[in-house]
Amino acid sequence: MMLRSCYRPLERCLGRLGGGSSGDGLLWHTELKPHASGDYSIAVVQANSNLEDQGQVYASPSVTYVGVYDGHGGPEASRFVNKNLFPYIRKFAREQGGLSSETIKKAFDATEEEFLHFVRTSFPARPQIASVGSCCLVGVILSDLLYVANLGDSRAVLGRRAIEGGNKPVAAERLSTDHNVAVEEVRKEVEALHPDDSHIVVYTRGVWRIKGIIQVSRSIGDMYLKKPELNRDPLFQQFASPIPLKRPVMTAEPSIIKRKLKREDLFLIFASDGLWEQLSDEAAVEIVFKSPRAGIAKRLVRAALHEAAKKREMRYDDITKIEKGIRRHFHDDITVIVVYLDHYKLPLSTLNHGVMSCTSAPADIFSLTADEAEGDLLHAMSEA
């Protein structure tokens, strides 16, 4: 164990972070791992002083769970979701006789309530915890069924074989809804819920924001925008300027879709908005389709970084040398999970009966907590 603990920092810095002239000390990735009907890989690049993105995959012979959690205001909410959401989904699915949209929604609700309890307990010592939140994107693959649930603007995109005669061999299909008031439909939805507040959505600092503060309309956390009593608390007002709230201006109600997977469905890309700020759905799908599987999630992250560098008239190598914190001025934290769908494989062909595995991105690129998080999740899932 001691030898392994000494090796892991070198592995993180040299082996798994990429090498050569394009090496990036803030990039973490995994090689391909099996799930019930294919392979998957994860990559993360850190831009903030604290990594606010979290990502995880849990694979068993019967079901695969995928999660991308894009935090804001701090890492606490995304780390909390990373620890609690999958076990809640599994627990409610067992209690209600199987997975459904309702069990997934119930798990989101339970995670939100549990985080609210955490905020209220922590509030006297850390009132700023009320302003921490996280977008939340989840995919569940159960045999030939796919569920996608999301809050916020992380995004799931399907790559499927295009219809014969089309211009391209692969097509991109967006499976999630961006809950971001930059989208006119979302903006109108928020305004319709608050007809007595003419300043519910304000254009400021170049973008539309709810109450001039936040772009996403749904999240886990952000309790100061959901619980007026926290917003008005004198402790919180010492930390931030008070915002007059009559009622919650955000929600934790997920959008959920259920889809039957087809033979032409080739792969899924789950990613935080840091990727989609740089790459279109179509560009990301084309990269995955044309590239070797090995290192595919890392390839998408690097493609996004190339685009971020190009916008600043920089070279890719230059942007990889910028330190975390400062780097946030050039791009966001980016988490990418690519899941291949190999329909020729039987559900149990890649995982032995009863074997479960999980992969969690590290809580911070330089932390050694990924293995601990994976162990905690496996334990929680077995207990749920």
Side-chain angles (χ1 to χ4, degrees):
M1 286 296 293
M2 184 178 293
L3 181 61
R4 186 181 180 203
S5 67
C6 293
Y7 172 70
R8 283 183 60 80
L10 290 175
E11 181 188 55
R12 290 261 168 95
C13 294
L14 300 176
R16 293 167 74 184
L17 302 182
S21 60
S22 60
D24 185 346
L26 292 174
L27 176 61
W28 177 94
H29 72 98
T30 65
E31 300 302 336
L32 286 175
K33 292 189 174 186
H35 70 99
S37 57
D39 303 306
Y40 70 88
S41 70
I42 305 178
V44 179
V45 66
Q46 182 170 342
N48 287 291
S49 297
N50 292 304
L51 179 62
E52 297 183 340
D53 274 15
Q54 294 293 296
Q56 58 184 173
V57 176
Y58 170 88
S60 77
S62 59
V63 64
T64 301
Y65 297 84
V66 182
V68 173
Y69 319 121
D70 180 0
H72 46 263
E76 292 86 356
S78 57
R79 292 179 185 179
F80 187 92
V81 175
N82 201 57
K83 185 177 180 180
N84 291 280
L85 183 58
F86 284 6
Y88 271 128
I89 296 175
R90 187 174 175 88
K91 174 179 182 288
F92 293 135
R94 283 184 171 179
E95 289 177 355
Q96 298 186 12
L99 187 72
S100 66
S101 296
E102 186 56 36
T103 59
I104 294 172
K105 180 186 180 302
K106 194 172 179 180
F108 273 71
D109 291 343
T111 304
E112 170 85 341
E113 283 302 309
E114 194 71 19
F115 188 68
L116 174 59
H117 176 72
F118 169 73
V119 168
R120 284 182 165 147
T121 302
S122 307
F123 189 83
R126 299 177 57 215
Q128 64 269 30
I129 196 70
S131 65
V132 176
S134 182
C135 299
C136 187
L137 172 67
V138 168
V140 185
I141 303 169
L142 182 65
S143 187
D144 62 347
L145 286 179
L146 168 69
Y147 291 87
V148 175
N150 79 296
L151 302 167
D153 56 6
S154 295
R155 189 180 300 167
V157 175
L158 171 74
R160 56 178 171 78
R161 194 172 285 106
I163 301 170
E164 288 186 20
N167 295 329
K168 294 183 178 180
V170 65
E173 180 180 341
R174 189 178 302 185
L175 300 179
S176 57
T177 301
D178 287 359
H179 302 131
N180 187 310
V181 290
V183 180
E184 185 178 6
E185 182 180 346
V186 177
R187 200 157 61 243
K188 289 180 177 178
E189 175 188 84
V190 172
E191 290 169 344
L193 291 171
H194 301 270
D196 57 342
D197 188 348
S198 59
H199 296 96
I200 184 64
V201 182
V202 179
Y203 190 79
T204 179
R205 303 193 300 281
V207 294
W208 290 99
R209 300 176 190 270
I210 295 175
K211 303 300 286 186
I213 299 169
I214 192 167
Q215 291 181 265
V216 294
S217 61
R218 306 189 194 189
S219 70
I220 297 291
D222 294 301
M223 295 304 177
Y224 75 124
L225 295 174
K226 296 174 179 175
K227 302 295 178 182
E229 67 272 19
L230 290 175
N231 183 283
R232 292 192 293 264
D233 192 294
L235 281 173
F236 185 76
Q237 292 186 9
Q238 293 174 17
F239 165 72
S241 299
I243 306 140
L245 291 184
K246 297 178 181 178
R247 66 182 73 88
V249 296
M250 296 182 70
T251 177
E253 177 82 20
S255 293
I256 303 175
I257 66 110
K258 177 183 176 182
R259 174 195 171 94
K260 189 174 179 66
L261 291 171
K262 305 170 185 176
R263 294 194 67 84
E264 58 265 28
D265 298 336
L266 303 175
F267 53 82
L268 297 157
I269 305 170
F270 296 86
S272 58
D273 75 319
L275 180 80
W276 309 112
E277 286 174 355
Q278 311 296 340
L279 298 178
S280 68
D281 299 6
E282 292 74 19
V285 162
E286 192 166 344
I287 289 169
V288 175
F289 182 72
K290 291 183 175 179
S291 302
R293 290 193 177 193
I296 189 59
K298 178 176 64 176
R299 189 182 297 271
L300 279 176
V301 169
R302 286 181 168 171
L305 296 182
H306 273 287
E307 290 300 314
K310 190 186 300 182
K311 290 175 183 176
R312 294 299 190 96
E313 299 182 343
M314 299 169 63
R315 295 180 305 172
Y316 169 80
D317 285 353
D318 293 333
I319 212 166
T320 64
K321 295 182 177 74
I322 301 171
E323 296 179 0
K324 62 179 181 176
I326 299 171
R327 193 141 152 189
R328 182 60 183 90
H329 297 291
F330 298 84
H331 66 84
D332 199 355
D333 295 336
I334 302 173
T335 297
V336 176
I337 302 175
V338 178
V339 180
Y340 288 98
L341 304 169
D342 299 329
H343 300 280
Y344 57 86
K345 289 185 177 179
L346 296 173
L348 301 182
S349 62
T350 56
L351 290 169
N352 293 328
H353 181 69
V355 172
M356 296 174 289
S357 68
C358 70
T359 303
S360 290
D364 189 273
I365 294 301
F366 298 110
S367 77
L368 301 181
T369 60
D371 281 352
E372 182 181 337
E374 290 164 15
D376 288 347
L377 179 62
L378 280 172
H379 177 73
M381 294 294 273
S382 64
E383 292 290 316

